[in-house]
Amino acid sequence: MATSRRRQLDTVRHALDEARFGAARTLNLRAMLPTVREAVGRAESWLRQRQVEGAGEVLVVTGRGHGSPDGVSPVREAVRKLLVSLRRRGVVAEHAEHTAGSFVVRLAPTSALWNAPRRRREPPAPPAADPPALRALEPQTADLLRRLAVRSLESLGVREPGPLVESEMIRQFAVLAQAIPDGPERETRFRAALSRALEEYETED
């Protein structure tokens, strides 16, 4: 009887989560059966993509770990540590346990990526793009990137950002490149992320 009741509650909770998050804002690691390393890599990539897409609040399902030694899921614990790390790196604003096998994650605004300090133990920054890579961008994309670089420098109190704009463009390009997967729509997604970051700065004013 207790088992039946628990299954009913799980069904109701799943339906509520579907309504709240939907498939696009839910990462179900439990269904993928990944190794710990695969789970961490998949979760970080997915969270970065959802951040630049402006997803806001998302659900990460890890599973409870019923089949794991001592009933503790190594995937759940690894993802919990990842969320703490991503908060320091400007990807996650906050996270909380949703159930014994899932986390609700509120993603940080895209602009937080360039303002987050990096600790020694954190993964190194992505390799910087070079000026030729920027010149290969479409004019509309390059213009958005330049405007964002200027706005970012101004927010840091740089009164005459001109000499620093190209280096800031390179830095921002490199950070966003981590979050946007390769594909035919990559530059379109890149422009959308840049536009969203600019809107965030305007909202702060």
Side-chain angles (χ1 to χ4, degrees):
M1 188 73 174
T3 301
S4 176
R5 176 67 173 169
R6 186 163 52 248
R7 287 176 179 171
Q8 289 177 353
L9 289 174
D10 286 344
T11 299
V12 171
R13 184 180 294 115
H14 179 72
L16 291 173
D17 288 344
E18 280 287 320
R20 178 179 175 183
F21 300 101
R25 294 193 294 130
T26 301
L27 175 63
N28 192 342
L29 294 170
R30 179 180 58 192
M32 299 176 186
L33 299 177
T35 64
V36 170
R37 184 174 182 178
E38 289 169 344
V40 169
R42 179 76 181 95
E44 177 167 358
S45 175
W46 186 83
L47 289 166
R48 286 184 178 277
Q49 289 180 41
R50 295 301 172 272
Q51 179 191 25
V52 300
E53 290 171 1
E57 193 177 61
V58 298
L59 179 67
V60 179
V61 180
T62 62
R64 294 182 175 89
H66 289 317
S68 304
D70 302 321
V72 178
S73 167
V75 167
R76 181 184 180 283
E77 181 60 17
V79 169
R80 184 190 66 77
K81 292 179 179 178
L82 171 68
L83 294 173
V84 172
S85 173
L86 290 179
R87 183 169 183 172
R88 290 194 292 261
R89 288 185 274 161
V91 178
V92 169
E94 61 182 10
H95 71 277
E97 184 178 278
H98 181 55
T99 67
S102 64
F103 296 96
V104 171
V105 182
R106 185 167 64 84
L107 298 168
T110 305
S111 55
L113 289 170
W114 302 294
N115 301 325
R118 185 172 67 86
R119 298 187 177 188
R120 291 181 181 179
R121 290 177 294 175
E122 297 292 352
D130 52 23
L134 298 186
R135 288 195 289 271
L137 295 174
E138 295 177 9
Q140 183 183 358
T141 309
D143 178 63
L144 283 170
L145 184 59
R146 179 172 293 278
R147 286 168 54 196
L148 181 60
V150 170
R151 188 65 185 82
S152 175
L153 289 168
E154 288 176 345
S155 73
L156 295 173
V158 179
R159 295 183 178 179
E160 296 184 9
L164 302 174
V165 169
E166 184 169 285
S167 61
E168 182 67 7
M169 289 173 68
I170 291 171
R171 186 171 76 94
Q172 293 183 348
F173 180 92
V175 170
L176 283 179
Q178 289 186 100
I180 303 174
D182 290 332
E185 298 297 320
R186 190 170 195 239
E187 188 146 355
T188 299
R189 293 178 179 177
F190 194 79
R191 281 198 295 271
L194 292 170
S195 296
R196 189 171 294 109
L198 278 167
E199 289 172 3
E200 290 168 3
Y201 276 118
E202 291 172 1
T203 301
E204 291 174 1
D205 292 340

